Amino acid sequence: MFLSRWEAEKRLQNFFFICLSPGEIVVNEVNFVRKCISAESNQDDPWGKLICTNFKVSFIPQEAPPKQKSQLSHLLLGEHDIPLTCLEQVVTVNDTKGKKKVLGSNQKLKFNPTELILYCKDLRIIRFCFDEAGPESARKVCLAIAHYSHPADLQLLFGFEYQGRRYHECKVNGSTPRGGMQTPIFDRPSDWDREIKRTSASEWRVCSINESYAISPSLPEYIVVPVSLADQDLKQYSLYFTDRRIPLWCWNHPNGSALVRMACIVDPLHQRKIDQRIFTAITKSHTQRSEVIRSDLDKCLPNIQDIQSAFVKVRQICVLDPFEESEERWLSSIDNSRWLEYVRAFLKHSAEIVYYLEGKNVSVILQEEEDRDLNCVVSSLVQLMLDPHYRSLIGFQSLVQKEWVMAGHRFLDRCNHLKKNYKEESPLFMLFLDCVWQMMNQYPAAFEFTEAYLTVLSDSMWIPLFSTFLFSSPKQRAQHLMDFAKNKAIPQGEDQVVYFPPVWEWSQQFSIKDQTLFNNPMYVGKGAACVQNGEVKTFRRTKKTYSSTLRGTATLMRNGLKEGEDTLTRRGSLVSELKSEFSAVKDESPSERFFRDWFSRPADQQGLLIPLSMPSHVALWKLFFLRWVPEACIPRGGPITAYHKLSQLVDEIEILQSQLRQYKGPSPGNTPLPSPSGPPSDQRRMYFKASYPDDPATTPDFFTSSFPFTPVGNLCRRSVYGTPISKFLNGARIWLSTETLANDTV
Amino acid sequence: AFCLFSDKDIIYMCHFNGAVKGKVLITNYRLYFKSSDADVTVMLDVPLGAISRVEKMGGASSRGENSYGLDITCKDMRNLKFALKQEGHSRRDIFELLFRHAFPLSHGLPLFAYVTQEKYAENGWNIYKPVEEFRRQGLPNNKWRITFINKSYDLCDTYPTVLAVPFKSKEEDLRRVAAFRSRARIPATGGGYEGDEYQNAELVFLDIQNIHVMRESLKKLKDIVYPNVEESHWLSSLESTHWLEHVKLVLSGAIQVADKVSSGNSVVVHCSDGWDRTAQLTSLAMLMLDSHYRTLRGFQVLIEKEWISFGHKFASRIGHGDKNHADQDRSPIFVQFIDCVWQMTKQFPTAFEFNEHLLLTILDHLYSCRFGTFLYNCESAREQHVRSKTVSLWSLVNSKMDIYLNPFYTPESGRVLYPVASMRHLELWVTYYIRWNPRIRQQQQSPVEQRYKELLALRDEYLKKLEQLQLSDSSTSSRLANSPTANTSSTTSTPTQQYTHLQTPF
């Protein structure tokens, strides 16, 4: 028996092939494990080896399943892999004894598990059965998984091992500084300078008083402040702010008004005086010396605990509750979770801020106790609505970098990577991504990226390899990365972005081809082309047209218009209309009037965009919340089927464009004439390539509403009709009890 | 249409904009209002057929500002209030006009469809020819035969004249069966056939509620979307209308029918009378099973066949031209069907040749009385007048097809389409139910569709340019006999050339 197993294992080694990343080591493994892919029967369940490494939980099926066609495949993670950081809860079950235990680190397990259930932060629920596995090995693997998913220290996250190795390997091959990354990181004055110039914020300057984090640990080293405030003043004011966070400039409207964010003033005695000085300085920085208004976000928006509890509820409804039972009360359950209500609240409030900046031409200060949570969401949403630059891929990434990473959002605490303090956990970034999705859903041609991109970005929070989501402040990052460089013999002065790259370096995770899934074929933006009145025009965002917005919304650059035609379509200046503040409409506030006016005109994809925040127009983000739910999967349907056609068409257009560009015209003599090739295949932006005329026009079988993800094997709830203990295993209690369980283990 | 009443000053009591001064124009087809106030542009264009109820509000002694006027309830999810001056008789005049022309049948007047003289390039009445449609389905064959037994509606007056019935059934048997069924509605194709007994039959109850429940459900839905969308607990309110739940039950019933049929079983679908639920289930199942019905013309045939010809009681359910707004026979059964179709188009954006605009147009003219298509309760009542004296809705549609076409359509004959009938995917059709809300941008087309069309135009533009370049090129190269350019037009399998050959639209 023993021998035959050994023999079998030896034979299996030919099939089993685990991909280890640099620095990755196998901690423990167990063979003859069954991965449950269906709650009803185990006929199709794959058998294989369950492995715990210092990076991930991996399942290597005995028989390689047919490769899923056209599916997003991660370069470092296999189809069945889960990064340890992505584990929310590790639950072991003994079916025969009717026992279960939620495992933390360094724990004992008094029974041999027959089953392991992994609840993941990306909403997957993965189940393994040990009916044929060695009981002792199974137990050890479970304990290892639990232990390694609760790192005692940040430096123990796998990124710190992996990036060190990767750096040295790349160094051998000779790496270029910052790679080809175009996303500004805002860790140096030039990035801020460029942003000041881009938005014509001439009355603002880059200030370096926080170099080496001399003033505040949670502010970036370089910040933008009113020209009228001297370094000395700012140093003095900083004493009165929470965490010494002086006001931060975010963005300038072409009309001169600025968006500023700041923390609260700690000392009530000085509040008035400081407020006044700050306000005066911001007013001075407005080209028209307009007034400043303040929006206190703590007073008008849900707090981080509210948001966390809403997310826990909506997650529970989407992936944990039994599908059929939850059908009947589906809508009210989603309603009661309040998730969509909060999404709406943030969109609505951001739109209100937009009204002040755009319609009233006044500067706005966003104020929040710490300026590190709600302010991140609102400031970035406001900028997305006002500035089309942030709706491009690079622009969006720079926005996250500027308003989240550099502004000191506590990613480490809010993600709870160390699983230590559940009270600090809150999915603020997720909430922001959902808000972005709502805008994208309402204006599908306005964003350069897709919902697949947003989903992949949210998943990347749970892969501990990128500097983006690992730290709670710029100072913390700097310190950890400095220590890391020392430990890994990385030469002093080397760029942190090079040795510990941010998530924006997507080639760390995906092939060039897979990255094209991020490109929205509908995008109407710079570089994209459009047709108007039968004439093909190319969008250009020239400085001249942009600055014309000084006259108000209506004059924001119009797409595809001939120069000179501009004036014909220019609508009356909104600003002057608003001056009277008169509204013929009953009970209508000036901002409602502003929105109604805006909605009565066609939307300009490259201009101001205001999302509808009526409850009927804010929807559940299905790709994110339901992608793993097999029952909710529409075979050969869903938005992907339209995306497919759009993508093919745009690819065809780009081939034609390239042909037209390359066309040199009929040339006499021997010059070779038109090269009939499109752009090289690695430069093609579209995931789906133009089809050949003979191709059958059918919907590929692998298309589902979950594309580019698959529910197969990623969400295995216990069958309601299953074993008697399935009742007490009701996921609801498991997930909801996170907090108490965490306290128990302490 | 002739003008009955024009340019009278009136105040439209807009739910959103408050009192709006303007002029009203009433014809025998529509009520038209335009604000005269430069500050607020409000326009109303309501076919009188869409009106279900007109009431006077306030009396001669009413004091409050704008409390004296008219209150109009529409079948298409909106209400309109107008205020008038108490002096003169303008209210009486308008009221009487509206009352007469919104409810012509109650006043011995003809429906507008009989008055209008519209001309279209195509005659929509020819869209559905029963024998041709049976032939397309491969009927008659060795199992089914075509019968004209009901030629003069003496077998069943609510059935069409041409029927497909089981091959072995004898005419006298059909007569015998007819005697036993409610209103003599024998089983026929579309639904299928049931034998003399329910031998080996699997009986499935679909738990779909009756017409009264549906009517109340839509009424509740209107309450939460008009004039304003319920702000607090929207989804819970939506749930309590049960509208989407009913849509789900109808869809899942149709899926069960389609599933049985596609796995080789015949299915008998029936409800008490066979003209409400049956029509919904058979037509939806057919839409799932037969890709022909997902084309623009096929969908028209489906409606003609399963709804109009098989005797859905449009006149009773909609109450065309009838003043009796509280009639218990009214019910939004057809609206519910169109909603189900819309849900399917949302789940399969490339599977239907028609777009949302067609569905909206159908629902608008379900009430408008401008076309003969949805008038009357059954074929026998319709035959005598409608085809010769009115225009078919399909005349309008087929004379301007391009605006009803879905650019994403990918024909896939033989594909069975199973939507997911789950609350996870069913959505409220906001572009229909919430379209009167001025806070929503009025869009003629879905932005995705619009963008795709723009891109198609761009592609054609580039192809044209490239072709022109190549043309001028080949003329040059023919002069330069030895130039390698001459080869570029030869057939190599580079993708680009194939495009040029295939997709150039001339």
Side-chain angles (χ1 to χ4, degrees):
Chain A
M1 160 75 194
F2 194 68
L3 200 81
S4 71
R5 170 150 292 183
W6 179 83
E7 257 179 352
E9 239 174 280
K10 199 161 179 221
R11 219 177 309 133
L12 285 174
Q13 271 170 359
N14 299 328
F15 297 98
F16 290 170
F17 176 68
I18 179 163
C19 294
L20 294 177
S21 300
E24 187 175 4
I25 47 163
V26 171
V27 175
N28 224 315
E29 59 185 51
V30 57
N31 224 324
F32 306 106
V33 174
R34 180 164 60 86
K35 182 177 174 181
C36 307
I37 58 171
S38 155
E40 275 71 42
S41 91
N42 51 24
Q43 272 186 339
D44 301 325
D45 288 352
W47 291 80
K49 191 194 264 184
L50 181 65
I51 301 166
C52 173
T53 77
N54 55 344
F55 170 41
K56 65 185 184 240
V57 176
S58 196
F59 176 76
I60 314 290
Q62 212 163 316
E63 285 157 50
K67 182 92 183 104
Q68 296 265 10
K69 212 178 152 194
S70 287
Q71 210 156 78
L72 195 62
S73 62
H74 201 279
L75 295 177
L76 303 172
L77 294 162
E79 199 188 326
H80 302 281
D81 293 353
I82 313 140
L84 293 165
T85 342
C86 185
L87 293 176
E88 168 92 36
Q89 246 181 27
V90 178
V91 180
T92 46
V93 178
N94 185 306
D95 249 337
T96 41
K97 290 184 180 161
K99 286 187 170 167
K100 66 138 196 178
K101 184 168 184 178
V102 181
L103 290 180
S105 76
N106 267 327
Q107 275 188 325
K108 288 197 181 108
L109 187 57
K110 288 183 189 140
F111 57 86
N112 286 326
T114 57
E115 211 171 279
L116 169 72
I117 309 174
L118 301 174
Y119 293 89
C120 306
K121 299 218 189 186
D122 59 8
L123 272 58
R124 284 184 289 174
I125 301 172
I126 297 175
R127 220 152 58 98
F128 297 104
C129 279
F130 302 122
D131 17 15
E132 301 290 326
E136 194 52 30
S137 331
R139 206 162 71 105
K140 280 185 177 155
V141 165
C142 293
L143 288 170
I145 291 170
H147 183 71
Y148 278 82
S149 58
H150 289 76
D153 185 84
L154 180 60
Q155 296 269 357
L156 291 172
L157 290 176
F158 181 63
F160 289 91
E161 192 55 44
Y162 171 77
Q163 295 296 6
R165 303 278 184 126
R166 201 192 72 113
Y167 171 80
H168 288 294
E169 275 171 28
C170 289
K171 213 60 198 174
V172 177
N173 307 328
S175 70
T176 48
R178 293 221 164 170
M181 227 190 40
Q182 295 169 287
T183 304
I185 297 300
F186 292 95
D187 57 347
R188 43 191 184 191
S190 58
D191 289 341
W192 291 105
D193 255 329
R194 209 173 307 119
E195 200 61 10
I196 288 177
K197 289 210 179 72
R198 194 183 67 79
T199 60
S200 318
S202 52
E203 299 299 308
W204 297 83
R205 67 176 181 98
V206 182
C207 153
S208 50
I209 53 166
N210 201 34
E211 249 174 17
S212 310
Y213 307 97
I215 303 287
S216 166
S218 67
L219 285 181
E221 286 192 274
Y222 305 98
I223 53 175
V224 176
V225 297
V227 168
S228 58
L229 288 180
D231 284 2
Q232 216 39 47
D233 302 330
L234 290 164
K235 274 185 196 160
Q236 192 208 331
Y237 300 162
S238 73
L239 299 170
Y240 302 106
F241 285 94
T242 307
D243 210 19
R244 304 189 64 186
R245 288 178 69 100
I246 46 174
L248 277 182
W249 172 88
C250 305
W251 184 79
N252 241 58
H253 192 284
N255 67 17
S257 45
L259 180 67
V260 178
R261 55 190 283 178
M262 69 182 199
C264 288
I265 294 163
V266 217
D267 189 345
L269 284 176
H270 294 87
Q271 177 153 1
R272 249 188 120 158
K273 185 185 73 190
I274 301 294
D275 267 350
Q276 202 171 34
R277 294 202 181 154
I278 300 286
F279 277 47
T280 310
I282 294 175
T283 304
K284 276 188 190 162
S285 283
H286 194 298
T287 42
Q288 291 160 39
R289 305 287 179 271
S290 281
E291 56 171 325
V292 181
I293 68 130
R294 171 181 18 213
S295 174
D296 189 343
L297 300 193
D298 288 320
K299 287 202 181 106
C300 48
L301 287 169
N303 64 33
I304 62 160
Q305 285 86 17
D306 296 336
I307 294 165
Q308 167 71 1
S309 89
F311 185 73
V312 168
K313 280 183 202 145
V314 75
R315 174 176 70 179
Q316 149 108 31
I317 298 155
C318 289
V319 298
L320 276 170
D321 288 348
F323 189 87
E324 273 310 320
E325 277 99 297
S326 49
E327 272 288 283
E328 202 184 331
R329 311 260 307 137
W330 173 259
L331 295 173
S332 51
S333 306
I334 293 289
D335 200 11
N336 294 336
S337 79
R338 308 188 78 171
W339 177 256
L340 291 180
E341 180 188 325
Y342 295 162
V343 166
R344 239 155 58 71
F346 276 89
L347 286 172
K348 216 172 167 174
H349 195 79
S350 304
E352 201 74 23
I353 304 293
V354 166
Y355 159 70
Y356 283 106
L357 290 162
E358 168 94 27
K360 296 263 291 175
N361 195 9
V362 299
S363 293
V364 178
I365 300 176
L366 303 176
Q367 193 167 36
E368 185 198 0
E369 172 73 45
E370 278 202 309
D371 177 34
R372 295 168 75 178
D373 289 306
L374 310 182
N375 271 0
C376 301
V377 185
V378 174
S379 72
S380 29
L381 285 176
V382 168
Q383 292 172 67
L384 268 177
M385 292 176 198
L386 282 163
D387 190 341
H389 168 67
Y390 297 120
R391 295 178 223 137
S392 70
L393 182 72
I394 298 295
F396 180 75
Q397 298 184 158
S398 75
L399 183 68
V400 174
Q401 198 61 37
K402 180 162 73 90
E403 299 302 329
W404 292 80
V405 182
M406 279 302 154
H409 177 65
R410 304 168 182 272
F411 276 109
L412 179 64
D413 300 335
R414 298 293 173 249
C415 293
N416 199 12
H417 286 315
L418 303 181
K419 302 187 176 69
K420 284 213 172 87
N421 190 351
Y422 288 85
K423 288 205 175 79
E424 292 287 325
E425 190 172 337
S426 184
L428 262 97
F429 191 65
M430 195 47 235
L431 179 87
F432 165 64
L433 294 182
D434 199 327
C435 291
V436 178
W437 180 83
Q438 304 290 345
M439 287 187 65
M440 197 183 256
N441 190 38
Q442 294 182 20
Y443 303 103
F447 292 82
E448 191 181 13
F449 43 91
T450 57
E451 62 170 330
Y453 167 82
L454 292 180
T455 314
V456 164
L457 181 57
S458 79
D459 289 344
S460 304
M461 274 197 280
W462 316 116
I463 304 173
L465 305 181
F466 325 110
S467 58
T468 315
F469 306 116
L470 288 185
F471 307 101
S472 275
S473 71
K475 186 183 181 184
Q476 190 190 31
R477 183 189 28 261
Q479 277 176 343
H480 276 279
L481 294 188
M482 231 148 62
D483 293 350
F484 164 78
K486 234 179 263 166
N487 295 338
K488 301 290 170 188
I490 292 163
Q492 258 194 331
E494 179 66 283
D495 189 347
Q496 287 180 354
V497 175
V498 172
Y499 66 75
F500 211 118
V503 69
W504 317 126
E505 209 172 89
W506 289 105
S507 43
Q508 291 190 97
Q509 296 192 65
F510 302 103
S511 67
I512 299 287
K513 157 85 178 165
D514 276 359
Q515 286 177 51
T516 58
L517 274 172
F518 300 166
N519 296 332
N520 174 11
M522 278 180 276
Y523 181 51
V524 176
K526 49 180 183 202
C530 106
V531 183
Q532 200 139 16
N533 308 326
E535 262 187 88
V536 179
K537 297 282 165 193
T538 307
F539 295 117
R540 258 168 320 187
R541 180 178 161 158
T542 59
K543 205 166 176 175
K544 189 177 153 257
T545 41
Y546 193 68
S547 61
S548 73
T549 48
L550 269 169
R551 275 179 249 170
T553 7
T555 51
L556 260 180
M557 185 194 161
R558 314 268 304 130
N559 287 330
L561 287 176
K562 288 183 213 161
E563 271 156 80
E565 225 173 50
D566 205 33
T567 43
L568 289 173
T569 45
R570 190 170 285 163
R571 308 179 209 100
S573 160
L574 251 182
V575 178
S576 63
E577 270 175 52
L578 282 162
K579 231 171 242 163
S580 63
E581 300 247 317
F582 163 79
S583 174
V585 175
K586 62 172 177 191
D587 311 325
E588 194 177 43
S589 71
S591 65
E592 280 170 342
R593 167 99 199 268
F594 172 79
F595 297 138
R596 192 168 52 83
D597 270 353
W598 188 80
F599 278 106
S600 68
R601 289 185 293 254
D604 175 0
Q605 307 297 319
Q606 281 291 292
L608 168 69
L609 284 187
I610 300 169
L612 271 172
S613 54
M614 285 158 64
S616 50
H617 286 72
V618 171
L620 185 75
W621 182 9
K622 287 185 212 158
L623 185 68
F624 178 80
F625 286 105
L626 300 176
R627 63 188 153 147
W628 312 122
V629 182
E631 299 94 330
C633 188
I634 308 171
R636 297 176 71 200
I640 180 64
T641 53
Y643 175 88
H644 172 233
K645 299 210 75 173
L646 274 156
S647 171
Q648 286 186 323
L649 177 59
V650 169
D651 188 56
E652 194 187 329
I653 288 171
E654 286 177 355
I655 291 174
L656 290 169
Q657 266 173 339
S658 139
Q659 280 181 290
L660 283 168
R661 257 199 309 274
Q662 285 171 20
Y663 201 91
K664 305 260 164 30
S667 52
N670 294 326
T671 325
L673 273 175
S675 123
S677 60
S681 61
D682 62 331
Q683 280 170 29
R684 284 162 79 174
R685 291 193 314 122
M686 290 298 119
Y687 187 77
F688 296 106
K689 306 292 179 245
S691 62
Y692 289 89
D694 300 332
D695 283 357
T698 52
T699 315
D701 283 333
F702 56 83
F703 280 1
T704 72
S705 52
S706 296
F707 185 91
F709 308 96
T710 174
V712 181
N714 283 324
L715 186 69
C716 196
R717 301 186 206 92
R718 305 227 353 159
S719 168
V720 197
Y721 317 101
T723 57
I725 62 154
S726 57
K727 279 273 182 282
F728 89 83
L729 254 182
N730 182 339
R733 253 166 291 160
I734 295 177
W735 228 334
L736 282 174
S737 59
T738 306
E739 209 163 294
T740 43
L741 286 162
N743 293 340
D744 290 346
T745 55
V746 171
Chain B
F2 48 88
C3 176
L4 300 165
F5 192 92
S6 82
D7 276 353
K8 292 287 155 64
D9 286 317
I10 199 164
I11 295 166
Y12 169 47
M13 305 296 293
C14 178
H15 297 280
F16 310 96
N17 296 336
V20 182
K21 277 183 203 152
K23 304 265 187 203
V24 70
L25 172 86
I26 298 169
T27 72
N28 52 347
Y29 176 61
R30 71 179 91 210
L31 180 154
Y32 186 83
F33 170 86
K34 197 175 183 222
S35 58
S36 49
D37 198 333
D39 199 52
V40 194
T41 345
V42 178
M43 248 176 53
L44 287 174
D45 186 355
V46 189
L48 299 187
I51 294 174
S52 74
R53 180 180 191 176
V54 186
E55 276 185 317
K56 291 174 187 164
M57 59 173 192
S61 56
S62 291
R63 289 281 163 119
E65 201 189 345
N66 300 328
S67 61
Y68 178 82
L70 291 173
D71 196 341
I72 301 172
T73 310
C74 295
K75 297 170 180 174
D76 62 359
M77 309 286 288
R78 56 182 161 166
N79 292 350
L80 310 167
K81 266 187 190 154
F82 291 101
L84 290 142
K85 288 201 181 75
Q86 270 134 315
E87 307 87 63
H89 299 291
S90 57
R91 181 171 84 167
R92 195 190 63 196
D93 296 348
I94 295 184
F95 178 81
E96 274 169 14
L97 267 175
L98 280 178
F99 205 72
R100 274 173 75 81
H101 292 275
F103 313 119
L105 296 187
S106 306
H107 296 90
L109 292 169
L111 289 165
F112 182 70
Y114 288 96
V115 179
T116 180
Q117 304 286 321
E118 287 181 275
K119 294 273 180 291
Y120 291 99
E122 193 184 308
N123 183 357
W125 289 122
N126 296 331
I127 191 78
Y128 173 54
K129 295 189 176 120
V131 179
E132 253 174 47
E133 174 57 18
F134 284 134
R135 199 173 298 138
R136 191 191 64 81
Q137 296 179 34
L139 301 180
N141 57 23
N142 58 359
K143 295 212 173 64
W144 296 87
R145 63 186 180 84
I146 310 287
T147 176
F148 294 90
I149 186 174
N150 200 33
K151 194 169 65 186
S152 44
Y153 305 103
D154 49 5
L155 179 79
C156 168
D157 63 355
T158 60
Y159 258 13
T161 52
V162 189
L163 295 165
V165 292
F167 191 78
K168 286 179 187 159
S169 62
K170 301 206 172 64
E171 304 286 90
E172 57 192 79
D173 287 344
L174 292 174
R175 284 181 212 284
R176 201 158 48 83
V177 174
F180 282 99
R181 303 202 60 102
S182 166
R183 291 161 215 257
R185 294 174 66 87
I186 58 157
T189 49
Y193 176 77
E194 67 191 81
D196 293 344
E197 309 116 45
Y198 287 101
Q199 229 172 28
N200 306 323
E202 188 189 341
L203 219 58
V204 185
F205 294 98
L206 298 171
D207 281 335
I208 305 172
Q209 303 280 348
N210 65 32
I211 62 163
H212 311 292
V213 174
M214 300 308 172
R215 182 181 55 239
E216 293 315 305
S217 173
L218 189 63
K219 203 176 271 171
K220 280 185 202 153
L221 180 61
K222 183 175 175 179
D223 288 343
I224 63 161
V225 299
Y226 192 89
N228 287 305
V229 173
E230 184 84 42
E231 275 284 324
S232 67
H233 298 289
W234 158 252
L235 288 176
S236 301
S237 312
L238 181 60
E239 184 178 278
S240 64
T241 70
H242 298 289
W243 181 254
L244 286 178
E245 192 187 319
H246 297 317
V247 166
K248 175 186 159 169
L249 286 172
V250 172
L251 265 178
S252 65
I255 292 169
Q256 289 181 57
V257 172
D259 188 47
K260 290 273 181 250
V261 173
S262 78
S263 53
N265 301 307
S266 289
V267 173
V268 179
V269 178
H270 66 106
C271 65
S272 45
D273 274 333
W275 45 48
D276 291 314
R277 210 53 60 204
T278 312
Q280 284 181 333
L281 293 175
T282 56
S283 53
L284 286 170
M286 288 157 82
L287 207 55
M288 292 170 195
L289 291 164
D290 189 341
S291 58
H292 174 67
Y293 296 124
R294 290 173 229 144
T295 63
L296 181 57
R297 284 175 184 274
F299 189 60
Q300 297 168 17
V301 171
L302 183 73
I303 290 177
E304 285 285 341
K305 182 167 151 34
E306 292 305 303
W307 289 87
I308 296 162
S309 153
F310 265 92
H312 174 68
K313 300 201 289 181
F314 280 104
S316 309
R317 297 290 174 258
I318 307 301
H320 295 126
D322 177 39
K323 67 175 181 181
N324 188 5
H325 61 84
D327 188 341
Q328 291 298 301
D329 272 346
R330 293 196 185 175
S331 184
I333 298 301
F334 188 74
V335 176
Q336 193 174 49
F337 159 70
I338 295 291
D339 194 328
C340 290
V341 175
W342 179 81
Q343 303 286 351
M344 285 179 71
T345 64
K346 285 295 278 184
Q347 294 192 18
F348 301 100
T350 62
F352 294 83
E353 194 191 15
F354 52 87
N355 60 13
E356 185 183 47
H357 187 56
L358 177 81
L359 301 180
L360 292 170
T361 305
I362 289 173
L363 288 187
D364 279 342
H365 293 297
L366 173 65
Y367 304 122
S368 77
C369 296
R370 181 172 143 193
F371 300 100
T373 304
F374 299 114
L375 305 181
Y376 300 101
N377 275 338
C378 58
E379 221 177 73
S380 60
R382 191 176 298 119
E383 198 84 57
Q384 302 150 27
H385 334 269
V386 173
R387 281 171 172 264
S388 54
K389 291 182 182 157
T390 71
V391 177
S392 159
L393 169 61
W394 316 128
S395 301
L396 170 92
V397 171
N398 295 336
S399 301
K400 211 184 171 191
M401 277 181 145
D402 57 326
I403 58 168
Y404 304 104
L405 291 175
N406 170 16
F408 289 103
Y409 178 54
T410 311
E412 287 178 274
S413 64
R415 181 177 170 198
V416 180
L417 217 60
Y418 288 122
V420 175
S422 153
M423 293 311 291
R424 267 85 168 167
H425 286 293
L426 299 180
E427 290 169 39
L428 183 70
W429 186 9
V430 291
T431 34
Y432 179 66
Y433 300 110
I434 315 190
R435 60 180 165 160
W436 307 122
N437 193 311
R439 285 189 196 101
I440 297 164
R441 180 175 287 106
Q442 304 301 316
Q443 282 167 328
Q444 280 295 311
Q445 248 176 351
S446 94
V448 178
E449 226 175 82
Q450 196 183 332
R451 183 72 186 135
Y452 193 70
K453 283 186 175 169
E454 280 172 14
L455 290 167
L456 283 170
L458 181 64
R459 195 253 328 254
D460 291 347
E461 179 90 20
Y462 283 157
L463 277 170
K464 205 160 131 191
K465 268 192 195 161
L466 203 63
E467 181 141 307
Q468 278 164 355
L469 287 171
Q470 280 168 352
L471 252 161
S472 64
D473 204 29
S474 60
S475 60
T476 321
S477 60
S478 58
R479 273 180 269 125
L480 304 161
N482 290 331
S483 160
T485 16
N487 294 330
T488 43
S489 57
S490 71
T491 47
T492 48
S493 60
T494 55
T496 42
Q497 287 176 350
Q498 294 197 9
Y499 298 135
T500 348
H501 293 310
L502 170 88
Q503 276 133 343
T504 312
F506 23 77

